[in-house]
Amino acid sequence: MSMVRRLANVTLDNLDDLPGPCRRCVFWELDPVACRRAEESGDPGLEKEAWVSGALLEWGSCGKVCYVDQSPAGFVLFAPPAYVPRSVAFPTSPVSADAVLLMTAAVLPEFAGGGIGRTLIQAVAKDLVKRGIRALEAFGDAQWSEPACLVPADFLLAVGFKTVRPHHRYPRLRLELRNVLSWKEDVEAALEKLLGSMTPEGVFRPVGS
């Protein structure tokens, strides 16, 4: 029996579908001091909700969730660096002025290896191209060993990012969305055959469905 996948934009209605630790994590959303204060004495989950609310109202879609048979399987968050205080705290900062920052992405262990991470990045690229954004950048973790707030650098390279600021631990990588414009037509044609619709709220099915 084939599994049905669906992509949806992150909203306040489905924010609780993020994995528990990620739902309460404000590593990216607050500066280091405010983050520590929220973790020690505040309510990080409430801070997360406030950040998502503000980003949605002021900028628009800032994340996507992938569901498999109605179960949350993975998610991604992204925003302009001005919305992401932590973005200035890396040795390879700042994010380029023409780029949106890929903050974090995760796939639940039980869904690993199914191409969900790549699907999420492609969905973000398509979203940003429509909004006139030139590039997507990310601080990769070159020594990634377990789920954390940063995305493995190897994964970013595998889905088309290029290193623009090398670092032994936190390289800054970039996906040129103007290249995706031509690339995306080929990708979308393949995805239409393999997965069905790639629209944000569309339903798509794997091969053999």
Side-chain angles (χ1 to χ4, degrees):
M1 183 176 177
S2 62
M3 293 186 293
V4 177
R5 297 184 183 183
R6 176 174 64 89
L7 283 169
N9 290 329
V10 169
T11 66
L12 295 179
D13 292 333
N14 64 9
L15 188 57
D16 286 341
D17 287 343
L18 271 58
C22 301
R23 170 63 178 86
R24 297 184 298 274
C25 177
V26 285
F27 174 85
W28 290 106
E29 293 84 355
L30 300 177
D31 66 70
V33 173
C35 179
R36 188 164 58 250
R37 188 182 303 125
E39 290 171 348
E40 291 174 353
S41 59
D43 184 344
L46 201 59
E47 296 280 2
K48 183 91 163 190
E49 188 174 311
W51 183 89
V52 169
S53 177
L56 287 170
L57 287 171
E58 298 170 15
W59 185 66
S61 173
C62 59
K64 296 190 182 294
V65 182
C66 181
Y67 297 89
V68 174
D69 288 343
Q70 305 305 314
S71 296
F75 78 97
V76 60
L77 292 176
F78 55 94
Y83 286 79
V84 190
R86 180 74 65 162
S87 67
V88 299
F90 289 85
T92 48
S93 298
V95 174
S96 301
D98 63 349
V100 161
L101 178 65
L102 173 67
M103 298 158 57
T104 191
V107 175
L108 272 66
E110 57 266 38
F111 297 102
I116 288 172
R118 181 180 293 271
T119 296
L120 284 164
I121 298 300
Q122 289 167 346
V124 172
K126 181 177 179 180
D127 182 320
L128 295 179
V129 165
K130 288 180 177 178
R131 293 157 78 173
I133 305 297
R134 290 185 57 182
L136 182 65
E137 292 191 359
F139 296 103
D141 186 346
Q143 300 175 26
W144 190 94
S145 59
E146 60 184 18
C149 299
L150 271 71
V151 179
D154 287 347
F155 167 77
L156 295 169
L157 292 168
V159 297
F161 283 73
K162 306 293 183 186
T163 303
V164 291
R165 187 85 186 273
H167 188 266
H168 69 278
R169 181 66 190 268
Y170 302 119
R172 179 160 50 89
L173 301 100
R174 179 178 172 99
L175 182 64
E176 295 285 352
L177 298 183
R178 65 173 177 267
N179 296 340
V180 176
L181 284 171
S182 57
W183 167 82
K184 123 180 145 68
E185 293 180 3
D186 297 333
V187 169
E188 287 185 345
L191 285 169
E192 288 294 337
K193 291 180 182 178
L194 294 173
L195 307 173
S197 174
M198 264 296 290
T199 55
E201 279 73 36
V203 174
F204 54 91
R205 296 175 182 275
V207 182
S209 60

